[in-house]
Amino acid sequence: MAAMTYVNCSSVPTLFTSSLQFVVTHLPQYITEVESLPSRVKDRLLNLLSKRGLLTDDNISKVIHDRVKVLDLSECDVTDDGLQAITLCKQLRKLDLNAAKENRTSITTRGVQLVAQSCPILQTVYLRRCLNITDDAVISLSQCCRQLMLLNIGGCRQITDASLEALGKHCRMLKSVNFCKTKVTDDGVISLVTGCCKQSLTEIHMNHCIRVTDESVEAVMECCPRISILLFDGCPLITDRSRQALEELSGPQTHMKQVTWTIY
């Protein structure tokens, strides 16, 4: 009797998946046809292209559509021209421009301003280590995107107190903000945590901000009742006074889950 061979059908890619993979591999050849595909197919292509870092200024306008809600460009080499193309995405909720490996210099304030002005319901914006981002970019985001909840501007070395002041003034829903390795001072941190987002803030990353002092830590603990993550290691002006503030101001109702700091 001949032996029976069983095939696990769940491990065999569908024709649709195989076709997508083929198009991704040969994108330049089919870029014109891609532009006319339905949005649900484009969504799958966007996911594959973004994961492989294949979205560029030249092709992004062919793949996106006006109902895109999430766009991850962290692995992709795009410039302000690429950001110009996504301004049609009025329903965009999340934009990830974090520099995945090295610093990113191709994205500037101009590109972020274009997106902020065109995508008013953005809730999550990641700009980690985008070196050419200035306060004007964050000010535009805070003024135009009032639903902003998560913002990462860590490593954006040109950021100053003006960014935190704008966030504190306009972003009532802000929950998490990362401004590590920036030029902010106590004035900026205090403006942020005493602003309209003081009740919503749960997470603050200010590692390696060499100009902040114990006053910033005390202000966070005093003004933000829902804070659960506070990171301020690598801040040389922080002293043991901050540890004391954490002990004194962390009562039985505290939400604190994670704290890191360096005492010099």
Side-chain angles (χ1 to χ4, degrees):
M1 180 180 294
M4 299 292 291
T5 302
Y6 295 92
V7 178
N8 183 0
C9 294
S10 63
S11 64
V12 178
T14 65
L15 178 60
F16 178 63
T17 299
S18 297
S19 299
L20 285 177
Q21 296 283 1
F22 183 84
V23 171
V24 167
T25 305
H26 301 85
L27 186 63
Q29 183 178 346
Y30 294 100
I31 194 64
T32 303
E33 289 79 5
V34 164
E35 191 171 10
S36 61
L37 290 172
S39 58
R40 67 177 185 85
V41 179
K42 285 188 172 183
D43 286 337
R44 293 285 298 274
L45 279 175
L46 269 174
N47 185 49
L48 291 172
L49 291 168
S50 65
K51 286 181 177 179
R52 298 187 184 187
L54 296 176
L55 288 171
T56 67
D57 291 348
D58 294 330
N59 63 35
I60 191 170
S61 63
K62 309 295 184 181
V63 187
I64 59 172
H65 57 86
D66 60 2
R67 291 189 291 278
V68 170
K69 295 182 179 180
V70 177
L71 192 54
D72 183 353
L73 299 175
S74 59
E75 299 283 351
C76 302
D77 185 15
V78 295
T79 71
D80 289 345
D81 291 337
L83 296 189
Q84 170 75 61
I86 70 172
T87 56
L88 65 85
C89 305
K90 306 301 182 183
Q91 298 184 40
L92 193 65
R93 263 74 164 180
K94 178 179 179 180
L95 177 61
D96 188 346
L97 290 168
N98 278 348
K101 299 174 183 177
E102 300 178 354
N103 294 328
R104 189 193 290 270
T105 58
S106 58
I107 298 297
T108 74
T109 292
R110 182 181 72 86
V112 175
Q113 287 177 317
L114 288 172
V115 174
Q117 293 161 8
S118 302
C119 308
I121 60 174
L122 269 171
Q123 297 176 344
T124 301
V125 180
Y126 295 150
L127 298 165
R128 185 184 66 232
R129 298 203 310 273
C130 291
L131 300 187
N132 288 323
I133 297 301
T134 67
D135 290 322
D136 288 339
V138 180
I139 291 171
S140 290
L141 285 169
S142 66
Q143 292 176 342
C144 301
C145 307
R146 299 299 182 92
Q147 297 182 37
L148 191 65
M149 295 183 184
L150 309 175
L151 178 65
N152 189 338
I153 46 176
C156 298
R157 300 169 187 169
Q158 300 186 62
I159 295 299
T160 73
D161 291 341
S163 289
L164 301 192
E165 290 167 3
L167 293 170
K169 183 176 181 180
H170 300 292
C171 296
R172 186 175 301 276
M173 301 172 67
L174 189 66
K175 293 182 178 181
S176 172
V177 58
N178 181 332
F179 49 89
C180 300
K181 297 182 180 180
T182 60
K183 296 180 179 179
V184 302
T185 71
D186 291 338
D187 290 340
V189 177
I190 292 171
S191 294
L192 173 71
V193 301
T194 58
C196 65
C197 56
K198 62 183 180 182
Q199 294 294 327
S200 61
L201 278 171
T202 62
E203 185 172 348
I204 295 177
H205 297 227
M206 54 183 181
N207 314 61
H208 303 284
C209 289
I210 63 174
R211 294 171 174 83
V212 302
T213 73
D214 298 310
E215 290 187 16
S216 290
V217 177
E218 291 171 342
V220 172
M221 295 304 298
E222 291 173 358
C223 301
C224 302
R226 298 186 61 204
I227 198 73
S228 60
I229 297 176
L230 178 58
L231 312 181
F232 54 96
D233 53 279
C235 301
L237 300 182
I238 298 289
T239 71
D240 193 54
R241 180 175 141 195
S242 289
R243 179 189 60 78
Q244 296 173 356
L246 287 167
E247 291 178 353
E248 294 171 1
L249 297 172
S250 296
Q253 303 302 317
T254 184
H255 297 274
M256 196 63 69
K257 297 177 181 177
Q258 181 181 359
V259 181
T260 66
W261 74 91
T262 306
I263 300 297
Y264 289 89

